[in-house]
Each structure stands twice: as C-alpha cells, then as structure tokens.
Amino acid sequence: MGSIWEIDFYSRPILDANQKKVWEVLICESPLNVETRTDSLFRYAQYCSSTQVNSGWLRTALQEAIAKAGEAPIKIRFFRRQMNNMITKACQDAGIPAQPSRRTLFLNQWLKQRMEEVYPQETGYQGGTNPSVRLERPLPQRLPDALEGKQWVFVTLQAADFAEMTEWEIGFGEAFPLELAQVSPETRIPGVLIFSPRALPIAGWMSGLELAFLKFDTSQGERLVLETGATESWILANIKNPQTLAEAKGFEEAKQQANGVHFIGVQSDPQAESFAGFWLLQEVNLP
C-alpha cells in the first residue's frame, strides 16, 4: 500500500505588504499504523500570495511536493470543505484522488504547532483567531439494513495493548501512533465492537467511508453515531436500555480522558480472534 497525504490550503493570520491575507499550503503524510514514527513523515509547506490562489498554483505546489517526496500518494485527504472544489481539481489535475476527511490528525497537530510557534514570528502577523467558514451539516443517516451489526458492545483496552496492533489479524483498518494523541501507556482507551456473520462486508463498506470518530449523541434522542468523511454521519444504534445508556455515557467520559482516542472493531462473533475491521480513531476540534 502506498502513502496517503493530508492537505490544507487556506489563508493564515499574516498580512503581506499590501495588507492582504497570506495563504499557505501544508501537505503531510498520514500515519497509518501504531508503529509510525511521526518525525519520519513527509511534510511540505509553501506560502502563497492571495493574488495567486487558484487550482493551477496548488497543482504546481503538489507536483513540487511529489518531486520532493520521490513518489505520489495513493490519495489526499482534506478537511476544509469550503476549499473542496479547488483542492479536488488541483489533485485531479495532478492525477491523485482527493477525499474529504476529518481523519487528518497529523495535519491538525502540525497546523496547531504553526499557529503557536511559526506564524507569530512572521512579519505582518495578526493575532487572534483565523476564522473558518462554518457550513451546515446534514443529519445522520440510517445504516443500510444489510450493514447493521447483529450485536455490539462497549469495551476498553489499555493504551499499551495497541503496541502489538501490527501483529493482530485485521482485514480492513487503520491506526496512528498514540504519541500523536499524547496518551500514556496506562490510559484506558474505550471502544465499540460490532459482531455480525457479515463482518467482512460491513468492514469493507466502513473502510471506504473515511472514518472520523464515534460519539454518543443526545441532540435528537440518545444514539451512537459514526462520523465519516467531512460531514457525513451514520446512526449505529438507538440506545434505550438504561444499562447501555450508562455504558454510552461512560464511553464518552473515557474518550475525553483519553484525549478523544477510541476505537471501533468488527468481528464475526465474540469468540473470534481476528478482526474483519479495526480502526483507531480520535475526535479532535478542526480549525
């Protein structure tokens, strides 16, 4: 499997000599498993004048990044929906599929670091927030009947247990090094296991969704929601049983204590020793 990249192309809190916002492209490699060393991941950054902001400039920057990396990624993830058309066209013109995704964990951390340490050092820096346009999100969708799990349970694992994740038998999945989320080996990581005789088709379907995170949602009833892509979400289960409701609240509390880290696994039955699918996830606040 080739590499996956993450991209952000947006204005920064810096004004040029003409008092116009300076733009910047950030490109980095996605960490794909728990053993990835973040200091070895590819990164590329370049400022852009507001008069040059277009898909052609971005395509050229992508081509320069590919030349620097030595190979092109198999796809590029981006979280900023208002840049959808420009990023998608630039990536397509460079011959790379673009995927709206909130699974941009390394990019988010890098962007935060630059906001705190790099931009304030630039001439023309403007303190305060750099607002992003907030777009409406669609309501959660109901899962297709064929993809509903026969049974599911809340579980927890210790962060240290994920050190051996590369040795687990997993059909579909993705992870990241827990150092990225700054959790200790003793931290309890909450998760949900889904059991179904159709575990492999369910895991295959989920693998194409750009999984973002799971959450216990109380905005319209009480339910477990799977967030995917840039804005999509799916109702995994409506929760009515008092005991399950307590477990769902415990899941959210444990997730917060683990800096948003959690997981979702898909197995054929509770006795299975392999996973049709397993994803390590993190809920983070995007810019």
Side-chain angles (χ1 to χ4, degrees):
M1 180 180 178
S3 63
I4 295 173
W5 286 2
E6 304 166 11
I7 188 170
D8 185 41
F9 186 43
Y10 205 62
S11 64
R12 304 303 184 213
I14 306 167
L15 298 181
D16 62 17
N18 296 317
Q19 300 301 296
K20 300 293 185 182
K21 276 282 183 74
V22 173
W23 282 59
E24 181 185 47
V25 61
L26 293 180
I27 300 170
C28 64
E29 186 180 349
S30 284
L32 300 180
N33 63 64
V34 292
E35 294 183 344
T36 302
R37 287 188 48 176
T38 55
D39 59 1
S40 69
L41 293 172
F42 173 74
R43 292 195 283 190
Y44 174 92
Q46 185 179 345
Y47 286 129
C48 172
S49 165
S50 60
T51 60
Q52 294 179 294
V53 173
N54 56 52
S55 61
W57 186 95
L58 184 56
R59 182 198 68 237
T60 300
L62 270 170
Q63 291 168 335
E64 290 178 3
I66 291 168
K68 182 179 178 182
E71 63 177 0
I74 59 173
K75 70 176 177 181
I76 295 181
R77 293 168 165 158
F78 67 95
F79 68 85
R80 218 179 281 273
R81 285 189 293 152
Q82 58 270 41
M83 298 303 297
N84 180 84
N85 292 343
M86 193 179 296
I87 290 177
T88 299
K89 184 175 185 343
C91 290
Q92 288 176 344
D93 291 347
I96 307 164
Q99 184 76 55
S101 175
R102 282 170 282 180
R103 194 177 179 88
T104 52
L105 304 178
F106 190 49
L107 176 62
N108 298 343
Q109 191 177 87
W110 187 24
L111 186 54
K112 181 181 177 182
Q113 178 260 327
R114 291 180 69 78
M115 286 288 187
E116 294 173 352
E117 301 175 13
V118 177
Y119 306 144
Q121 306 304 317
E122 298 284 4
T123 302
Y125 171 70
Q126 300 293 303
T129 58
N130 191 40
S132 176
V133 178
R134 295 296 175 187
L135 303 176
E136 288 296 318
R137 295 180 52 203
L139 293 173
Q141 304 174 65
R142 183 175 175 271
L143 277 179
D145 291 341
L147 296 170
E148 290 189 357
K150 186 176 180 182
Q151 178 189 357
W152 60 273
V153 294
F154 288 109
V155 292
T156 61
L157 289 172
Q158 206 168 39
D161 295 335
F162 289 93
E164 300 177 355
M165 186 176 168
T166 53
E167 300 173 16
W168 301 352
E169 186 179 339
I170 299 172
F172 297 92
E174 191 175 329
F176 56 87
L178 285 172
E179 67 179 68
L180 195 61
Q182 298 178 323
V183 296
S184 68
E186 299 78 27
T187 304
R188 301 300 298 181
I189 307 296
V192 169
L193 292 181
I194 298 171
F195 304 113
S196 171
R198 304 187 71 256
L200 202 57
I202 291 175
W205 175 78
M206 291 174 67
S207 73
L209 290 180
E210 285 294 316
L211 302 191
F213 56 88
L214 279 168
K215 70 176 182 181
F216 173 51
D217 179 52
T218 59
S219 61
Q220 294 185 355
E222 292 164 321
R223 56 196 184 182
L224 192 62
V225 172
L226 175 62
E227 297 282 342
T228 67
T231 60
E232 296 78 29
S233 57
W234 307 82
I235 301 170
L236 284 189
N238 288 295
I239 301 174
K240 297 177 181 178
N241 180 288
Q243 180 180 340
T244 309
L245 190 59
E247 292 176 355
K249 292 177 180 177
F251 166 81
E252 274 299 321
E253 290 170 3
K255 190 171 75 173
Q256 298 308 315
Q257 292 172 5
N259 288 341
V261 178
H262 56 295
F263 63 89
I264 183 169
V266 183
Q267 293 182 294
S268 56
D269 59 72
Q271 284 71 48
E273 295 186 0
S274 62
F275 294 94
F278 194 101
W279 292 266
L280 189 59
L281 309 170
Q282 185 183 20
E283 181 175 358
V284 295
N285 293 321
L286 293 172

